[in-house]
Amino acid sequence: MLDQEIIRKASDHFGSVIQLSPILFWLIFLAVFAVTAFQAAIIVYHWYVYAPNKKMGANMLLLYTVVSGVLLILSVIGGFSIIAFT
Amino acid sequence: MVPLESDETSLKEVRAHPIFLALDALTLLTCIVGPILIVIILSILPVTRGLSGTLLSFWPIYPLWLLVCWGNFFVSLTFYFMRYLVITNERIIEVEQKGFFNREVSSFRLENIQDITVDVHGIVASVLDYGDIQIQTASKDRSFTIKNAPHPESLKLLISQEHERVMKRFMAPQTSIL
């Protein structure tokens, strides 16, 4: 019973963090986006310049772009849904 | 792409055994399924039922988490495909991507090979048939090591055959003179 009470309080605390600090969440989002964009730029550059063969390079770039693009769109939707919730 | 000489043809491209790529894929899978499993387990346990609801409210971050995991997986994939060895009819070319900003391309001619050693170490390596190949060259005690190459014995055979072919070509004019 005591455990449930502690967890309920912890749950309320987490909930209030989301509600009170949407800016913090956006900052986390932006930081991760920035790092991911930098990583993406390096990956694309390497596959474009140093790919063992042109076909493999093109396929890998297509795979990376499509999957990353879908995940990026979902992430943005997720970010906006935080605004909607708060 | 590694530039080849005019009369040179690529015989084989060697990378680490695909099991290492599979391990990276398994890590990605764990990252995808892990958070879902945690929420499911927390919702099943009566003590933590309240917490699972809160964790579900973090779902908007999940695609972002997937994006980070995917990025890291693709970095591993990039390193896997960009560390390779090209065996040609003239040379062995080693391409080593040590980091994103640290790339080394070295080559040696087949006639410089002095010794080839195959090291298959451990049960997994023996079962999956992968191992290290060390090629000793004549130039200043330089040796090349191919780590975790699949089918190392057949690779050794291929390099030996090519080495012999090149050596015969080199020896042929000398014997005719003698």
Side-chain angles (χ1 to χ4, degrees):
Chain A
M1 202 61 187
L2 185 66
D3 289 344
Q4 278 187 336
E5 185 63 22
I6 291 165
I7 284 162
R8 193 186 61 75
K9 279 184 179 173
S11 167
D12 289 347
H13 177 69
F14 278 120
S16 63
V17 167
I18 298 172
Q19 283 174 352
L20 293 175
S21 310
I23 293 168
L24 179 73
F25 270 85
W26 272 113
L27 281 177
I28 294 167
F29 261 69
L30 288 176
V32 176
F33 277 149
V35 172
T36 310
F38 180 67
Q39 193 183 46
I42 295 169
I43 287 172
V44 169
Y45 173 78
H46 270 77
W47 276 104
Y48 186 71
V49 177
Y50 300 122
N53 60 63
K54 293 254 182 236
K55 196 184 172 190
M56 184 195 272
N59 287 339
M60 283 295 183
L61 280 175
L62 186 70
L63 176 73
Y64 181 70
T65 311
V66 169
V67 176
S68 299
V70 169
L71 290 175
L72 194 69
I73 290 165
L74 288 174
S75 302
V76 171
I77 292 168
F80 278 109
S81 70
I82 286 178
I83 288 183
F85 281 134
T86 52
Chain B
M1 199 182 290
V2 180
L4 300 179
E5 291 167 5
S6 57
D7 56 341
E8 197 175 20
T9 49
S10 173
L11 299 173
K12 200 173 175 70
E13 256 182 39
V14 185
R15 288 186 178 79
H17 195 279
I19 189 71
F20 295 95
L21 194 62
L23 286 175
D24 288 332
L26 195 69
T27 310
L28 176 71
L29 196 71
T30 310
C31 290
I32 293 168
V33 180
I36 298 168
L37 277 178
I38 289 169
V39 171
I40 289 170
I41 290 165
L42 287 176
S43 64
I44 288 168
L45 294 171
V47 182
T48 52
R49 200 164 285 165
L51 192 63
S52 69
T54 308
L55 283 172
L56 274 177
S57 65
F58 280 86
W59 73 263
I61 299 171
Y62 186 61
L64 196 69
W65 165 251
L66 291 184
L67 189 66
V68 172
C69 294
W70 169 248
N72 286 331
F73 170 69
F74 213 84
V75 168
S76 307
L77 202 75
T78 304
F79 284 136
Y80 174 82
F81 281 107
M82 293 207 182
R83 285 176 186 153
Y84 61 102
L85 194 93
V86 185
I87 301 167
T88 73
N89 58 341
E90 296 289 333
R91 294 181 293 164
I92 292 181
I93 305 159
E94 188 189 38
V95 181
E96 202 172 356
Q97 191 83 40
K98 290 174 179 172
F100 270 124
F101 303 101
N102 190 355
R103 186 180 159 87
E104 197 177 289
V105 181
S106 44
S107 68
F108 60 91
R109 302 201 75 81
L110 288 169
E111 59 265 25
N112 289 336
I113 292 175
Q114 288 196 327
D115 185 43
I116 306 170
T117 314
V118 171
D119 180 24
V120 179
H121 202 84
I123 299 169
V124 181
S126 302
V127 171
L128 295 174
D129 191 21
Y130 69 83
D132 300 346
I133 302 175
Q134 195 180 26
I135 306 168
Q136 201 78 36
T137 66
S139 55
K140 290 182 182 175
D141 299 328
R142 179 95 196 259
S143 70
F144 284 74
T145 306
I146 314 155
K147 293 256 179 205
N148 304 316
H151 317 299
E153 289 293 344
S154 61
L155 205 62
K156 182 187 172 182
L157 191 70
L158 173 72
I159 296 168
S160 299
Q161 281 171 349
E162 285 304 308
H163 176 243
E164 269 178 44
R165 187 186 54 77
V166 170
M167 290 311 283
K168 272 179 192 167
R169 195 179 66 195
F170 268 84
M171 296 298 277
Q174 289 178 9
T175 47
S176 63
I177 289 165
L178 289 171

